Amino acid sequence: MSAFRTPLVLEHEGDRRLTLTSPLLYDSDVLGVTIAVPTGFVTDLASIPRGLWNILPPIGRYDRAAVVHDYLYACGFTTRKQADDVLYEAMRVTQVGRVAAWTIYAGVRLGGGAA
């Protein structure tokens, strides 16, 4: 069963950059593995365009899912589609509502290739 095994612990680095100060572990049913985002990984959390922040702020219940997604994109261990599917899965694990999770998922499917 998909689940986060550790909390998200970050240190603010300025601008929108944050650094993990302890590993983030996520068991993914989509990939069938445990994803271990290492200490020191730098993220901007959810890369949501500023114009949408009143609806979907860049910081929210989806933070842990966004970090796992950023990591999967950065390391290239998966396809972009698999990484996006893990994002959706992890958002639902953290009880992000279906509409918000689907909206974020659709956004990364449309614009995530630029990352």
Side-chain angles (χ1 to χ4, degrees):
M1 187 161 131
S2 298
F4 282 93
R5 290 198 282 147
T6 57
L8 178 61
V9 184
L10 300 165
E11 182 176 288
H12 189 256
E13 296 296 330
D15 298 326
R16 289 196 50 209
R17 296 178 340 162
L18 299 119
T19 302
L20 262 69
T21 57
S22 67
L24 179 63
L25 301 177
Y26 177 66
D27 296 327
S28 171
D29 287 344
V30 166
L31 296 180
V33 299
T34 297
I35 300 162
V37 185
T39 299
F41 181 74
V42 177
T43 182
D44 66 353
L45 297 178
S47 303
I48 296 172
R50 189 181 273 306
L52 298 176
W53 284 5
N54 59 333
I55 300 167
L56 292 168
I59 297 172
R61 183 170 274 164
Y62 34 78
D63 291 349
R64 290 182 289 173
V67 171
V68 169
H69 185 251
D70 284 356
Y71 179 70
L72 291 174
Y73 265 39
C75 24
F77 293 144
T78 63
T79 66
R80 189 177 142 236
K81 171 85 166 74
Q82 287 171 318
D84 295 349
D85 289 351
V86 170
L87 171 67
Y88 183 82
E89 170 191 55
M91 286 190 292
R92 296 298 293 144
V93 163
T94 57
Q95 300 180 344
V96 173
R98 288 188 195 280
V99 172
W102 185 88
T103 301
I104 292 169
Y105 176 81
V108 299
R109 291 304 304 148
L110 289 172

